[in-house]
mmCIF file of all heavy atoms in Angstrom:
data_model
loop_
_atom_site.group_PDB
_atom_site.id
_atom_site.type_symbol
_atom_site.label_atom_id
_atom_site.label_comp_id
_atom_site.label_asym_id
_atom_site.label_seq_id
_atom_site.Cartn_x
_atom_site.Cartn_y
_atom_site.Cartn_z
ATOM 1 N N TYR B 103 66.120 38.617 48.403
ATOM 2 C CA TYR B 103 65.943 40.053 48.645
ATOM 3 C C TYR B 103 64.479 40.376 48.908
ATOM 4 O O TYR B 103 63.592 39.659 48.458
ATOM 5 C CB TYR B 103 66.427 40.869 47.438
ATOM 6 C CG TYR B 103 67.917 40.822 47.271
ATOM 7 C CD1 TYR B 103 68.521 39.788 46.564
ATOM 8 C CD2 TYR B 103 68.732 41.787 47.850
ATOM 9 C CE1 TYR B 103 69.898 39.707 46.434
ATOM 10 C CE2 TYR B 103 70.116 41.728 47.730
ATOM 11 C CZ TYR B 103 70.686 40.689 47.018
ATOM 12 O OH TYR B 103 72.044 40.617 46.908
ATOM 13 N N SER B 104 64.247 41.471 49.619
ATOM 14 C CA SER B 104 62.883 41.948 49.818
ATOM 15 C C SER B 104 62.689 43.245 49.054
ATOM 16 O O SER B 104 63.630 44.010 48.842
ATOM 17 C CB SER B 104 62.594 42.195 51.295
ATOM 18 O OG SER B 104 62.567 40.987 52.001
ATOM 19 N N LEU B 105 61.442 43.462 48.666
ATOM 20 C CA LEU B 105 61.106 44.640 47.871
ATOM 21 C C LEU B 105 60.430 45.695 48.733
ATOM 22 O O LEU B 105 59.405 45.437 49.356
ATOM 23 C CB LEU B 105 60.154 44.241 46.743
ATOM 24 C CG LEU B 105 59.750 45.372 45.798
ATOM 25 C CD1 LEU B 105 60.891 45.691 44.856
ATOM 26 C CD2 LEU B 105 58.520 44.986 44.997
ATOM 27 N N LEU B 106 61.018 46.876 48.752
ATOM 28 C CA LEU B 106 60.396 48.005 49.428
ATOM 29 C C LEU B 106 59.765 48.859 48.333
ATOM 30 O O LEU B 106 60.456 49.324 47.427
ATOM 31 C CB LEU B 106 61.470 48.786 50.195
ATOM 32 C CG LEU B 106 60.977 49.848 51.166
ATOM 33 C CD1 LEU B 106 61.982 50.009 52.304
ATOM 34 C CD2 LEU B 106 60.798 51.177 50.468
ATOM 35 N N LEU B 107 58.447 49.007 48.404
ATOM 36 C CA LEU B 107 57.724 49.698 47.332
ATOM 37 C C LEU B 107 57.350 51.098 47.769
ATOM 38 O O LEU B 107 56.721 51.282 48.811
ATOM 39 C CB LEU B 107 56.453 48.906 46.998
ATOM 40 C CG LEU B 107 55.509 49.506 45.956
ATOM 41 C CD1 LEU B 107 56.169 49.555 44.591
ATOM 42 C CD2 LEU B 107 54.215 48.702 45.882
ATOM 43 N N SER B 108 57.725 52.096 46.988
ATOM 44 C CA SER B 108 57.417 53.459 47.385
ATOM 45 C C SER B 108 56.928 54.303 46.217
ATOM 46 O O SER B 108 57.604 54.428 45.199
ATOM 47 C CB SER B 108 58.652 54.118 48.003
ATOM 48 O OG SER B 108 58.362 55.460 48.320
ATOM 49 N N GLY B 109 55.760 54.873 46.374
ATOM 50 C CA GLY B 109 55.234 55.807 45.376
ATOM 51 C C GLY B 109 55.657 57.204 45.773
ATOM 52 O O GLY B 109 54.829 58.015 46.127
ATOM 53 N N GLU B 110 56.955 57.416 45.735
ATOM 54 C CA GLU B 110 57.543 58.650 46.260
ATOM 55 C C GLU B 110 56.853 59.894 45.711
ATOM 56 O O GLU B 110 56.550 59.974 44.530
ATOM 57 C CB GLU B 110 59.024 58.672 45.884
ATOM 58 C CG GLU B 110 59.900 59.470 46.821
ATOM 59 C CD GLU B 110 59.848 58.930 48.238
ATOM 60 O OE1 GLU B 110 59.731 57.696 48.414
ATOM 61 O OE2 GLU B 110 59.899 59.741 49.162
ATOM 62 N N ASP B 111 56.647 60.848 46.573
ATOM 63 C CA ASP B 111 56.074 62.107 46.158
ATOM 64 C C ASP B 111 57.065 62.824 45.247
ATOM 65 O O ASP B 111 58.274 62.736 45.434
ATOM 66 C CB ASP B 111 55.807 62.968 47.387
ATOM 67 C CG ASP B 111 54.823 64.074 47.092
ATOM 68 O OD1 ASP B 111 55.225 65.091 46.502
ATOM 69 O OD2 ASP B 111 53.655 63.905 47.437
ATOM 70 N N VAL B 112 56.536 63.504 44.245
ATOM 71 C CA VAL B 112 57.395 64.143 43.252
ATOM 72 C C VAL B 112 58.363 65.149 43.896
ATOM 73 O O VAL B 112 59.473 65.372 43.416
ATOM 74 C CB VAL B 112 56.541 64.813 42.144
ATOM 75 C CG1 VAL B 112 55.789 66.005 42.683
ATOM 76 C CG2 VAL B 112 57.382 65.183 40.949
ATOM 77 N N ASN B 113 57.947 65.730 45.014
ATOM 78 C CA ASN B 113 58.793 66.735 45.656
ATOM 79 C C ASN B 113 59.763 66.167 46.677
ATOM 80 O O ASN B 113 60.556 66.873 47.266
ATOM 81 C CB ASN B 113 57.926 67.774 46.374
ATOM 82 C CG ASN B 113 57.151 68.604 45.381
ATOM 83 O OD1 ASN B 113 57.636 68.859 44.284
ATOM 84 N ND2 ASN B 113 55.951 69.003 45.759
ATOM 85 N N LYS B 114 59.685 64.855 46.914
ATOM 86 C CA LYS B 114 60.535 64.270 47.940
ATOM 87 C C LYS B 114 61.685 63.532 47.298
ATOM 88 O O LYS B 114 61.555 62.976 46.223
ATOM 89 C CB LYS B 114 59.702 63.335 48.821
ATOM 90 C CG LYS B 114 59.910 63.618 50.305
ATOM 91 C CD LYS B 114 59.686 62.388 51.148
ATOM 92 C CE LYS B 114 60.783 62.214 52.163
ATOM 93 N NZ LYS B 114 60.824 60.863 52.694
ATOM 94 N N SER B 115 62.789 63.531 47.980
ATOM 95 C CA SER B 115 63.970 62.908 47.418
ATOM 96 C C SER B 115 64.003 61.425 47.728
ATOM 97 O O SER B 115 63.869 61.004 48.864
ATOM 98 C CB SER B 115 65.211 63.566 48.002
ATOM 99 O OG SER B 115 66.324 62.765 47.736
ATOM 100 N N TYR B 116 64.188 60.610 46.693
ATOM 101 C CA TYR B 116 64.328 59.187 46.941
ATOM 102 C C TYR B 116 65.742 58.850 47.385
ATOM 103 O O TYR B 116 66.026 57.736 47.797
ATOM 104 C CB TYR B 116 63.909 58.352 45.719
ATOM 105 C CG TYR B 116 64.598 58.720 44.439
ATOM 106 C CD1 TYR B 116 65.819 58.168 44.110
ATOM 107 C CD2 TYR B 116 64.035 59.650 43.573
ATOM 108 C CE1 TYR B 116 66.467 58.524 42.943
ATOM 109 C CE2 TYR B 116 64.668 60.005 42.407
ATOM 110 C CZ TYR B 116 65.890 59.437 42.096
ATOM 111 O OH TYR B 116 66.521 59.799 40.943
ATOM 112 N N VAL B 117 66.641 59.849 47.303
ATOM 113 C CA VAL B 117 67.986 59.648 47.836
ATOM 114 C C VAL B 117 67.894 59.450 49.348
ATOM 115 O O VAL B 117 68.555 58.592 49.936
ATOM 116 C CB VAL B 117 68.895 60.855 47.525
ATOM 117 C CG1 VAL B 117 70.275 60.637 48.117
ATOM 118 C CG2 VAL B 117 68.986 61.067 46.021
ATOM 119 N N GLU B 118 67.025 60.228 49.954
ATOM 120 C CA GLU B 118 66.815 60.131 51.398
ATOM 121 C C GLU B 118 66.326 58.737 51.771
ATOM 122 O O GLU B 118 66.785 58.137 52.738
ATOM 123 C CB GLU B 118 65.792 61.191 51.811
ATOM 124 C CG GLU B 118 65.978 61.712 53.210
ATOM 125 C CD GLU B 118 65.096 62.919 53.445
ATOM 126 O OE1 GLU B 118 65.262 63.935 52.728
ATOM 127 O OE2 GLU B 118 64.223 62.823 54.313
ATOM 128 N N LEU B 119 65.372 58.240 50.972
ATOM 129 C CA LEU B 119 64.845 56.894 51.213
ATOM 130 C C LEU B 119 65.977 55.867 51.134
ATOM 131 O O LEU B 119 66.109 54.992 51.990
ATOM 132 C CB LEU B 119 63.764 56.559 50.177
ATOM 133 C CG LEU B 119 63.088 55.194 50.326
ATOM 134 C CD1 LEU B 119 62.049 55.231 51.434
ATOM 135 C CD2 LEU B 119 62.434 54.764 49.023
ATOM 136 N N ALA B 120 66.808 55.987 50.110
ATOM 137 C CA ALA B 120 67.901 55.036 49.912
ATOM 138 C C ALA B 120 68.872 55.070 51.093
ATOM 139 O O ALA B 120 69.339 54.028 51.562
ATOM 140 C CB ALA B 120 68.642 55.352 48.614
ATOM 141 N N ARG B 121 69.132 56.275 51.612
ATOM 142 C CA ARG B 121 70.054 56.396 52.748
ATOM 143 C C ARG B 121 69.424 55.891 54.032
ATOM 144 O O ARG B 121 70.016 55.113 54.767
ATOM 145 C CB ARG B 121 70.418 57.869 52.953
ATOM 146 C CG ARG B 121 71.444 58.390 52.002
ATOM 147 C CD ARG B 121 71.795 59.798 52.447
ATOM 148 N NE ARG B 121 72.546 60.505 51.423
ATOM 149 C CZ ARG B 121 72.492 61.815 51.262
ATOM 150 N NH1 ARG B 121 71.720 62.566 52.042
ATOM 151 N NH2 ARG B 121 73.218 62.383 50.332
ATOM 152 N N GLU B 122 68.204 56.350 54.284
ATOM 153 C CA GLU B 122 67.528 55.987 55.535
ATOM 154 C C GLU B 122 67.386 54.489 55.677
ATOM 155 O O GLU B 122 67.525 53.937 56.758
ATOM 156 C CB GLU B 122 66.119 56.597 55.573
ATOM 157 C CG GLU B 122 66.075 58.047 55.929
ATOM 158 C CD GLU B 122 64.643 58.519 56.139
ATOM 159 O OE1 GLU B 122 63.705 57.715 55.954
ATOM 160 O OE2 GLU B 122 64.469 59.671 56.504
ATOM 161 N N ARG B 123 67.059 53.847 54.556
ATOM 162 C CA ARG B 123 66.821 52.407 54.581
ATOM 163 C C ARG B 123 68.076 51.607 54.279
ATOM 164 O O ARG B 123 68.028 50.381 54.242
ATOM 165 C CB ARG B 123 65.745 52.044 53.541
ATOM 166 C CG ARG B 123 64.379 52.582 53.884
ATOM 167 C CD ARG B 123 63.832 51.873 55.096
ATOM 168 N NE ARG B 123 62.588 52.457 55.556
ATOM 169 C CZ ARG B 123 62.048 52.174 56.740
ATOM 170 N NH1 ARG B 123 62.664 51.358 57.566
ATOM 171 N NH2 ARG B 123 60.918 52.719 57.091
ATOM 172 N N ALA B 124 69.180 52.330 54.026
ATOM 173 C CA ALA B 124 70.423 51.653 53.642
ATOM 174 C C ALA B 124 70.146 50.592 52.584
ATOM 175 O O ALA B 124 70.570 49.439 52.703
ATOM 176 C CB ALA B 124 71.113 51.051 54.864
ATOM 177 N N LEU B 125 69.405 50.974 51.546
ATOM 178 C CA LEU B 125 69.020 50.046 50.488
ATOM 179 C C LEU B 125 70.253 49.468 49.799
ATOM 180 O O LEU B 125 71.228 50.172 49.572
ATOM 181 C CB LEU B 125 68.140 50.754 49.450
ATOM 182 C CG LEU B 125 66.807 51.331 49.964
ATOM 183 C CD1 LEU B 125 66.097 52.098 48.850
ATOM 184 C CD2 LEU B 125 65.913 50.230 50.514
ATOM 185 N N ASP B 126 70.214 48.194 49.477
ATOM 186 C CA ASP B 126 71.297 47.568 48.714
ATOM 187 C C ASP B 126 71.239 47.972 47.246
ATOM 188 O O ASP B 126 72.228 47.852 46.523
ATOM 189 C CB ASP B 126 71.197 46.039 48.787
ATOM 190 C CG ASP B 126 71.759 45.498 50.095
ATOM 191 O OD1 ASP B 126 72.262 46.307 50.901
ATOM 192 O OD2 ASP B 126 71.686 44.281 50.298
ATOM 193 N N GLY B 127 70.062 48.398 46.815
ATOM 194 C CA GLY B 127 69.916 48.809 45.429
ATOM 195 C C GLY B 127 68.593 49.502 45.253
ATOM 196 O O GLY B 127 67.717 49.405 46.123
ATOM 197 N N ILE B 128 68.461 50.208 44.148
ATOM 198 C CA ILE B 128 67.224 50.951 43.955
ATOM 199 C C ILE B 128 66.845 50.949 42.473
ATOM 200 O O ILE B 128 67.704 51.061 41.597
ATOM 201 C CB ILE B 128 67.351 52.380 44.555
ATOM 202 C CG1 ILE B 128 66.034 53.144 44.526
ATOM 203 C CG2 ILE B 128 68.441 53.178 43.896
ATOM 204 C CD1 ILE B 128 66.034 54.348 45.466
#
Side-chain angles (χ1 to χ4, degrees):
Chain B
Y103 291 86
S104 292
L105 182 76
L106 191 151
L107 176 65
S108 177
E110 207 60 35
D111 199 281
V112 69
N113 292 327
K114 230 208 134 198
S115 165
Y116 54 86
V117 179
E118 210 170 299
L119 182 78
R121 281 186 193 150
E122 281 188 357
R123 293 291 174 193
L125 299 176
D126 280 357
I128 187 163

